[in-house]
Amino acid sequence: MDRSGTETDHELIVKAVAGDVAAFGRLVARYQQDAVRIAAVALGTASDADDVVQDSFVKVHRALSGFDLTVPFRPWLYRVVVNTARTRQRSSSRRNNLRLRFASSSGRSEAVADGPDDIAVHLDQRRQLVDALNQLSPDDRLILTYRWYEQLSEAEIAEALDCPAGTVKSRLSRAMQRLRTEVEQTKMSEQ
Amino acid sequence: MSNLEQNFVAVIDNLDLPDVDLVDDVLDQIAATNARAGNSPDNSRRADRRRRMLVAVAATAALVMALTLTVTPVGEAVANWFGIGATAFDVDDRHDGGAADTAPPPTEADGDSTPGSNQSDPVPPPPSLSEDALGDPVEPMPAVTAVASLGPPDAVFDHAGRGRSFLWRDVDGSPVVLSARRTESVLSTKTLAAADQVEFLSIRTEPDEQPPMPAVWISEPHELNVAVDGMNLELAFSAGPVLIWIDNDVELRLEGVADKGRALALAAETTRGTQLLAAE
């Protein structure tokens, strides 16, 4: 248990490996929504993201007994999700016209705007950003999501991307630069 | 936080995602997969044993998490535990197989499992590496290569359907042995004396969605004391450097390679344990 009395990931894994199905269910419940988000970022669409995540959790369960409890669970889960998404994307005919979309309702991180003009500016900036994101490679979208949204450490990002930790910073820097470039190009194309 | 980063977080947070509840679907799919694999109630004893071993593997990993690589009493306890499967099977094989005369006699039949209790004994080669075993291949070469860079093995030993050992002559003529056994069939316990020679590692192989495999490297010759379940018997003998790792429910053990880096490299190119056992 952690300080709040919640079972840690590793406690749930140990129980699940011991045959406690409900414990694995709690692990699924804990990460399913985050995993769907990562699957959508990797796929470039929310379609199929839930199927990818379901398959990923089954794979995770199958491999759980060999899990190294010296490493965090979440980056490994994301790696499985992304690999599963890539496999599915290769066999999908829709891979070239995938898009991220805005949700109709506001999310928890919606910035507070002072008035209608500010709201319009925010929405416009974010629409441009979505367009720019759609031009990025899945790898660029993922590393930015891991760093900015998931706030993973460089070591965790390296685990999730299965790359040397020393390359994370430069990959992140290049992804940020490409995103800025795409945003600028999106703005220019609208003028 | 920059404006770009702020907007990025908001965009990711506002993606149009399905509001999922996959718990039941995932658990149903796992149950269906298990049912197809034959995990019926009829196999409950086998399943219980497997679960016991998996708990032990997980418990080991959990302890490893709490350890540093420095020697501690806890480290010794982990070391004592970790080698259970491989050692027990070796001893069992000595009794079942044709190389039984190469194993030292039981020193304390009623169970003196004190580590290092026979330190004054001459150190024989590890049981799997005996010259008798080298000269007596009992199986034709398997279809699998087992370890890519070592090529086809010089001999293969089946262990009564519970595992296999592959044997090579190294470039200097010394033997290298890879053993693969299902952890669920482990019935014995052992005590490893040399806790300060144990290093906990993990091994990565393809495909990359596989998690790293927990491993133990024991660098020096060490004492083994093995209690064999159901036989009221305990054996004691010595073993050389060994790398042990767990690949799902298969335990793999590489003996005869004294250099840790080379042992890890060979382990990384070893065929998956289930494939090795599938050739049975």
Side-chain angles (χ1 to χ4, degrees):
Chain A
M1 300 276 179
D2 63 16
R3 286 178 186 174
S4 65
T6 307
E7 294 164 295
T8 66
D9 292 349
H10 290 168
E11 284 169 338
L12 289 174
I13 290 169
V14 169
K15 288 177 181 176
V17 168
D20 184 344
V21 176
F24 189 70
R26 293 197 288 280
L27 201 60
V28 174
R30 179 174 293 178
Y31 285 113
Q32 57 185 353
Q33 204 62 48
D34 291 339
V36 164
R37 192 181 312 281
I38 294 301
V41 170
L43 290 166
T45 180
S47 301
D48 295 342
D50 49 352
D51 289 342
V52 163
V53 170
Q54 182 173 332
D55 289 349
S56 300
F57 274 117
V58 173
K59 286 182 185 176
V60 163
H61 184 266
R62 200 160 52 224
L64 208 57
S65 64
F67 181 72
D68 179 357
L69 290 178
T70 61
V71 299
F73 172 72
R74 191 166 54 139
W76 174 54
L77 169 65
Y78 289 171
R79 183 142 58 95
V80 176
V81 168
V82 170
N83 286 345
T84 306
R86 283 181 176 142
T87 302
R88 185 169 287 249
Q89 204 167 31
R90 276 196 289 271
S91 62
S92 168
S93 59
R94 292 178 293 170
R95 62 181 177 269
N96 292 327
N97 55 3
L98 304 172
R99 290 294 180 265
L100 294 168
R101 295 171 294 170
F102 270 115
S104 55
S105 59
S106 292
R108 58 183 155 83
S109 67
E110 189 72 39
V112 177
D114 293 332
D117 290 346
D118 290 330
I119 292 173
V121 168
H122 276 294
L123 290 178
D124 203 38
Q125 285 177 342
R126 290 173 193 177
R127 184 183 50 73
Q128 290 168 346
L129 187 53
V130 171
D131 290 344
L133 274 175
N134 283 324
Q135 300 305 313
L136 291 184
S137 69
D139 282 349
D140 282 348
R141 288 198 299 264
L142 282 167
I143 196 169
L144 292 168
T145 305
Y146 289 152
R147 188 73 196 103
W148 284 345
Y149 188 82
E150 297 287 338
Q151 300 197 328
L152 299 184
S153 67
E154 285 184 14
E156 288 172 328
I157 292 172
E159 173 69 21
L161 294 176
D162 195 21
C163 69
T167 67
V168 168
K169 202 169 278 182
S170 58
R171 284 175 183 226
L172 187 59
S173 173
R174 286 196 295 271
M176 287 164 58
Q177 187 53 50
R178 282 193 281 265
L179 179 61
R180 287 194 185 97
T181 302
E182 290 295 343
V183 169
E184 288 307 313
Q185 288 181 351
T186 302
K187 282 181 185 171
M188 287 172 64
S189 68
E190 290 181 355
Q191 286 172 356
Chain B
M1 189 184 280
S2 69
N3 191 39
L4 182 64
E5 184 177 345
Q6 213 167 23
N7 281 328
F8 183 93
V9 169
V11 163
I12 297 299
D13 201 26
N14 281 284
L15 292 176
D16 189 8
L17 301 174
D19 192 13
V20 295
D21 184 359
L22 298 172
V23 175
D24 289 342
D25 291 339
V26 168
L27 297 186
D28 286 349
Q29 193 175 335
I30 290 169
T33 304
N34 288 343
R36 279 198 300 275
N39 291 350
S40 64
D42 292 343
N43 295 328
S44 58
R45 189 176 171 202
R46 182 170 172 266
D48 282 349
R49 189 183 299 154
R50 181 178 182 190
R51 270 198 294 275
R52 212 167 58 229
M53 286 310 301
L54 293 177
V55 170
V57 170
T60 300
L63 285 168
V64 169
M65 181 176 59
L67 288 174
T68 64
L69 292 181
T70 57
V71 180
T72 67
V74 176
E76 184 170 359
V78 174
N80 286 348
W81 185 88
F82 199 93
I84 288 174
T87 309
F89 274 117
D90 257 356
V91 173
D92 208 10
D93 295 340
R94 293 299 107 184
H95 277 268
D96 292 342
D101 57 348
T102 63
T107 52
E108 300 289 343
D110 290 325
D112 175 9
S113 61
T114 305
S117 59
N118 61 347
Q119 283 179 341
S120 58
D121 291 349
V123 178
S128 300
L129 308 183
S130 71
E131 289 300 314
D132 286 351
L134 282 172
D136 186 25
V138 296
E139 282 279 318
M141 288 180 187
V144 291
T145 305
V147 182
S149 68
L150 293 177
D154 297 314
V156 182
F157 300 87
D158 272 345
H159 304 300
R162 296 189 300 183
R164 307 190 112 198
S165 292
F166 302 82
L167 186 148
W168 293 263
R169 286 281 190 185
D170 211 349
V171 287
D172 62 355
S174 61
V176 173
V177 175
L178 171 72
S179 298
R181 305 169 196 280
R182 290 207 183 276
T183 53
E184 65 194 34
S185 60
V186 173
L187 297 172
S188 306
T189 58
K190 75 145 187 161
T191 300
L192 177 67
D196 60 339
Q197 296 162 350
V198 175
E199 185 176 352
F200 297 95
L201 306 161
S202 59
I203 296 171
R204 283 182 189 282
T205 58
E206 297 295 332
D208 59 5
E209 67 250 28
Q210 294 286 339
M213 297 180 286
V216 166
W217 167 249
I218 304 168
S219 59
E220 301 293 334
H222 49 276
E223 294 290 336
L224 297 177
N225 292 276
V226 183
V228 185
D229 278 3
M231 295 179 67
N232 191 27
L233 179 68
E234 182 152 310
L235 305 176
F237 49 89
S238 299
V242 60
L243 180 67
I244 304 168
W245 69 103
I246 305 295
D247 176 3
N248 286 320
D249 62 346
V250 178
E251 182 182 78
L252 293 122
R253 194 157 38 98
L254 183 66
E255 297 172 276
V257 180
D259 178 71
K260 182 179 79 174
R262 184 171 178 236
L264 287 170
L266 291 174
E269 61 180 65
T270 296
T271 303
R272 304 296 299 197
T274 49
Q275 291 173 266
L276 292 177
L277 294 177
E280 285 174 2

